[in-house]
Amino acid sequence: LGDGELTYRISGGNSEVRDAVRSAASEWESNIKNLVLKEDKEDHGSADINIKFEKDGDDVSDKKTKRGLTTAGITKYELDWQGLIENVRIAIAKGTDDQEFLPGDIKLITEHELGHALGIGHANFKASLMSPTIGNDQPREISECEIKGVLLANAWKLKSDNNGPSFTGDKKVNC
């Protein structure tokens, strides 16, 4: 975010799933004032966020799944000398062994993984976009809680409005 925008590049996937990724990026951008997510379609050097598709969840994660769950997406990143995120790599499964994910599922997975790229971790409750597992009761939109988390993680650069969000001093967002 240092230069005012984050660029992302999509590798692989058909036009439907690529559009789902674009929709997820647009959703984050529209929910957070001063956040600019711009797709690098022309391969102009290195992108801040690289998103690629893998065949299935087994190809996404290099770790064993927990309790038989399949990994739908994973975000890996490096920190610079100041502790700021750089070189974000997101891998998204096209589906599981049984079926392909629908574009709406790809959008949800991408929104979740972009949340990690924007500096927030997993929520400790299921009714959150940032829940570590996806279920039928999963919210399909970015909540005020996730927005506050991103604003807190990036307070050095992003401001929600003149009043700004209020946070506790323990670097946690209570929702």
Side-chain angles (χ1 to χ4, degrees), residues 95-134:
T96 65
D97 291 333
D98 301 12
Q99 64 185 31
E100 281 193 17
F101 291 129
L102 298 172
D105 297 325
I106 296 292
K107 180 180 181 234
L108 175 71
I109 295 163
T110 304
E111 284 176 355
H112 174 97
E113 298 306 329
L114 285 173
H116 290 312
L118 293 170
I120 58 177
H122 285 136
N124 61 356
F125 56 98
K126 288 185 180 184
S128 171
L129 172 69
M130 296 309 295
S131 172
T133 58
I134 297 174

Side-chain angles (χ1 to χ4, degrees), residues 9-67:
R9 184 173 303 127
I10 308 168
S11 302
N14 62 31
S15 63
E16 264 190 319
V17 297
R18 293 169 72 84
D19 285 344
V21 169
R22 292 180 187 107
S23 179
S26 177
E27 194 70 29
W28 272 112
E29 191 176 44
S30 69
N31 275 285
I32 300 188
K33 184 180 175 183
N34 299 327
L35 175 65
V36 177
L37 292 167
K38 183 179 177 183
E39 183 179 2
D40 180 5
K41 295 180 183 179
E42 305 297 322
D43 196 8
H44 293 117
S46 63
D48 297 308
I49 303 170
N50 290 286
I51 303 167
K52 70 175 183 172
F53 287 93
E54 298 289 354
K55 181 180 175 187
D56 60 40
D58 292 338
D59 296 329
V60 169
S61 179
D62 53 359
K63 299 178 182 176
K64 297 288 183 194
T65 59
K66 295 179 182 175
R67 292 174 264 134

